[in-house]
C-alpha cells in the first residue's frame, strides 16, 4: 500500500513539473513572440543586422525569426512566415557579416534534410529591454 501511495505522489509531482512545459508548447507563435517582447520597446526598423554580433537565432512557429539575446533582440517577420517551424533548419547564403531585408533563406526539414521552401526576409526590428 505504501508503494502505491508513493507512486501516486511521484506521478503527481511529475505532472506538476511537466504541466507548464505542456502549456508552453500549446502557445501560438504570436503568443510566444509576445512573451519574448514583454518589457521591451521597439526601435526603428533596420534593413540589415550584423550576424557576427547577433548570431543567436530562434524560429517562432509561423510568425518570425528572432536574432540575438540579452538587452536587445531583433525580430524579422519574413514574407510567408506561416512556412516557419521551430525545428526547421535555416540555410542562409550570406555574403559578408550582415543579413539583410530581401535575403533568401532556405528551409530544410530537420529530420530528413529535405528542402521545404524559401522565405524572403523583411526588416529587422530591434526590441530593447526597458528598466
Amino acid at each position: 500500500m505504501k508503494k502505491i501511495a508513493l507512486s501516486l505522489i511521484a506521478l503527481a509531482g511529475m505532472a506538476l513539473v511537466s504541466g507548464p512545459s505542456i502549456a508552453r508548447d500549446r502557445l501560438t507563435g504570436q503568443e510566444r513572440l509576445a512573451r519574448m517582447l514583454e518589457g521591451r520597446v521597439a526601435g526603428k526598423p533596420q534593413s540589415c543586422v550584423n550576424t557576427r554580433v547577433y548570431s543567436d537565432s530562434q524560429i517562432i512557429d509561423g510568425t518570425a525569426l528572432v536574432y540575438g539575446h540579452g538587452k536587445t533582440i531583433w525580430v524579422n517577420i519574413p514574407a510567408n512566415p506561416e512556412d516557419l517551424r521551430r525545428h526547421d533548419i535555416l540555410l542562409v547564403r550570406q555574403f559578408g557579416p550582415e543579413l539583410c531585408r530581401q535575403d533568401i533563406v532556405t528551409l530544410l526539414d530537420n529530420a530528413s534534410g529535405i528542402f521545404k521552401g524559401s522565405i524572403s526576409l523583411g526588416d529587422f526590428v530591434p526590441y530593447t529591454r526597458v528598466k
Side-chain angles (χ1 to χ4, degrees):
M1 193 64 149
K2 260 186 178 178
K3 286 183 181 180
I4 293 173
L6 288 174
S7 296
L8 290 174
I9 291 170
L11 285 173
M14 288 185 346
L16 287 174
V17 170
S18 65
S21 66
I22 291 170
R24 182 177 21 136
D25 291 341
R26 291 185 184 170
L27 294 176
T28 66
Q30 291 288 340
E31 292 167 335
R32 257 184 89 212
L33 183 59
R35 282 200 177 169
M36 289 178 80
L37 299 179
E38 284 177 5
R40 295 178 183 268
V41 176
K44 182 181 175 191
Q46 305 291 317
S47 60
C48 297
V49 67
N50 186 327
T51 55
R52 289 190 182 141
V53 177
Y54 300 105
S55 60
D56 294 343
S57 65
Q58 187 174 359
I59 300 171
I60 308 298
D61 283 340
T63 305
L65 299 171
V66 177
Y67 291 88
H69 65 280
K71 184 179 178 183
T72 302
I73 59 174
W74 297 80
V75 176
N76 187 292
I77 300 177
N80 50 323
E82 63 278 357
D83 292 342
L84 293 171
R85 292 293 165 254
R86 178 178 14 189
H87 300 294
D88 286 345
I89 297 170
L90 302 176
L91 178 60
V92 180
R93 290 186 182 101
Q94 193 171 335
F95 305 97
E98 294 186 320
L99 195 55
C100 297
R101 173 183 51 225
Q102 295 185 350
D103 280 352
I104 303 297
V105 176
T106 302
L107 304 174
L108 303 174
D109 180 75
N110 188 32
S112 65
I114 294 175
F115 172 80
K116 287 182 52 184
S118 297
I119 56 171
S120 175
L121 298 177
D123 282 327
F124 293 86
V125 180
Y127 285 85
T128 305
R129 229 183 237 127
V130 290
K131 294 181 181 184

